[in-house]
Amino acid sequence: MKAGARTDDTLDLRGTFRRWRAERPFWGGLLLTLAGAEILLTEKASLKVVLHIGMQGLAGYLLPAVMLLCGLLILFNPAQRLFYSLLGILLSLGTWVTSNLGGFLVGLFLGVLGSCLTFGWLPDQEPRRRLLRRGHA
């Protein structure tokens, strides 16, 4: 196998991944997924590190698990991104109460940032001619 053939395959995979990433709110979904995972991991921290367990313990695990699920759904089903981003920001803010101050604030901020990025993302659109004409007039 030649080194040039491997480079061509790598470039093809990289181009395919870039096209896939451009068709969805990739960074928002990734940040929301990471936020859910981080908050879930802080739930498993030792008792010396845990600030408070939260309401009945179940919500402390349920909210970050649904955040992680919303992040994955944003990545693999971007058509419903607005619903998932609104749900993600509400869940992120809810972890303040239920999960060690939202994963020691790191998961909370990652979740809010990822949800906001997802909410503001728009798929490729053609330029609006009317707005372009006004700018030149």
Side-chain angles (χ1 to χ4, degrees):
M1 177 191 248
K2 293 183 180 181
R6 183 173 180 215
T7 305
D8 292 341
D9 293 341
T10 306
L11 289 176
D12 186 41
L13 286 174
R14 179 178 274 176
T16 303
F17 177 69
R18 283 185 179 174
R19 282 190 299 277
W20 180 82
R21 191 180 68 190
E23 295 172 353
R24 60 201 72 244
F26 178 76
W27 293 110
L30 183 66
L31 287 177
L32 189 58
T33 303
L34 289 175
E38 194 271 336
I39 294 171
L40 277 173
L41 289 176
T42 61
E43 290 290 323
K44 292 292 187 182
S46 67
L47 290 178
K48 295 177 183 177
V49 179
V50 173
L51 296 177
H52 66 303
I53 298 297
M55 299 182 306
Q56 305 298 324
L58 177 65
Y61 291 105
L62 186 63
L63 268 63
V66 176
M67 280 175 62
L68 193 133
L69 181 65
C70 282
L72 291 174
L73 286 171
I74 286 169
L75 290 174
F76 296 109
N77 186 14
Q80 301 297 323
R81 70 188 180 281
L82 295 178
F83 173 72
Y84 298 140
S85 67
L86 290 175
L87 186 61
I89 199 162
L90 291 175
L91 292 168
S92 297
L93 294 174
T95 60
W96 173 265
V97 177
T98 62
S99 306
N100 292 328
L101 299 176
F104 304 114
L105 298 177
V106 174
L108 174 78
F109 289 136
L110 283 176
V112 168
L113 181 63
S115 295
C116 289
L117 285 173
T118 301
F119 189 81
W121 182 83
L122 292 173
D124 289 336
Q125 297 178 354
E126 292 188 28
R128 298 181 184 167
R129 300 288 180 200
R130 185 178 58 189
L131 293 176
L132 291 176
R133 280 189 231 136
R134 283 186 195 169
H136 295 347

